[in-house]
Amino acid sequence: MERKKIVAANWKMNTLHAEAITLAKDILTMTRLVKEVEKIIFPPFPFINDVALLLQSETGFSTGAQNCSAYEKGAYTGEVSCAMIHSVGAEYVLIGHSERRAYFKEDAEVLVAKVHRALAQHLKVVYCFGEVLNERKAGQHQAVVKKQLQEVISQVPKEKMNQLILAYEPVWAIGTGETASPAQAQNMHAFVRQCLAELVDTETATSMPVLYGGSCNAQNAKELFACPDVDGGLIGGASLKPQEFASIVKAFQ
Ligand code: PGA
């Protein structure tokens, strides 16, 4: 079965307002013709609305939030709810990113709560997971990934599985310039599908998009995207350079 091809831009805590708009416009102009690839842009919170407005009449472009609150609404100073995110035109939210797990101590309980909130607001979730370097060196990468999938996927009702996209991001490859080799990526993505078959069913295992993230760039994208179980990329650093991001998107052609 033919899965969607997706390339997502995670801008993290970068850009000011004017830069964000220019970047979104440049990405739009440079990738508009690559119709077979769905582009998702994850700007910082304050710029989601403007980026979403810019992309709303375009086909093949969507906007997402990099985070969301685990709470519904109310006295949670500084938090941003899924309903708020949805109300400014975002369709997606990133949950489980390694930077959220490491720096903000987000554990499985919080991640499951966030996923439930997001799905209830009809947001699609890009659920990120991946092992750290020591875990890979110790040969524990599959066990770690299986646990991270099990903790969250088993809590998602079957009828909502089509609101989920997965992103395997080996932590040792994020922002380090080091990338998983195509063989390492393919092995893990195939293993992820095996886990999905066990945790959910074979239909979900074959239909769910699984993206690769971690120093994906214009040089290595083609090889990574050629792997049969890699359905695209979640791009950090390289998504801040429109030319480079466009080359990554075009690597799918
Ligand atoms: P990177 O980040 O492309 O800069 O490694 C990927 C990510 O964290 O989503």
Side-chain angles (χ1 to χ4, degrees), residues 7-11 169 212-213 216-217 225 232-239 245 248:
V7 179
N10 175 14
W11 292 351
E169 299 204 296
Y212 169 80
C216 187
N217 58 37
F225 295 169
L234 178 54
I235 320 298
S239 72
F245 185 73
I248 296 172

Side-chain angles (χ1 to χ4, degrees), residues 141-155:
H141 43 291
Q142 291 196 338
V144 169
V145 161
K146 188 171 190 171
K147 181 167 179 285
Q148 289 172 330
L149 288 174
Q150 202 260 329
E151 287 166 343
V152 169
I153 305 285
S154 60
Q155 305 300 315

Side-chain angles (χ1 to χ4, degrees), residues 12 99 171-178 214-215 237:
K12 308 193 180 185
E99 287 151 19
V171 181
W172 47 273
I174 296 180
T176 57
E178 240 189 88
S215 298

Side-chain angles (χ1 to χ4, degrees), residues 34 217-218 220-223 225-226 246-253:
V34 193
N217 58 37
N220 57 33
K222 207 172 185 72
E223 265 196 318
F225 295 169
S247 304
I248 296 172
V249 171
K250 288 173 189 166
F252 251 151
Q253 283 181 309

Side-chain angles (χ1 to χ4, degrees), residues 30-48:
M30 292 178 194
T31 64
R32 193 185 251 135
L33 295 179
V34 193
K35 301 228 184 280
E36 63 271 42
V37 179
E38 155 118 29
K39 283 80 58 180
I40 311 171
I41 299 184
F42 291 91
F45 276 131
F47 315 140
I48 290 176

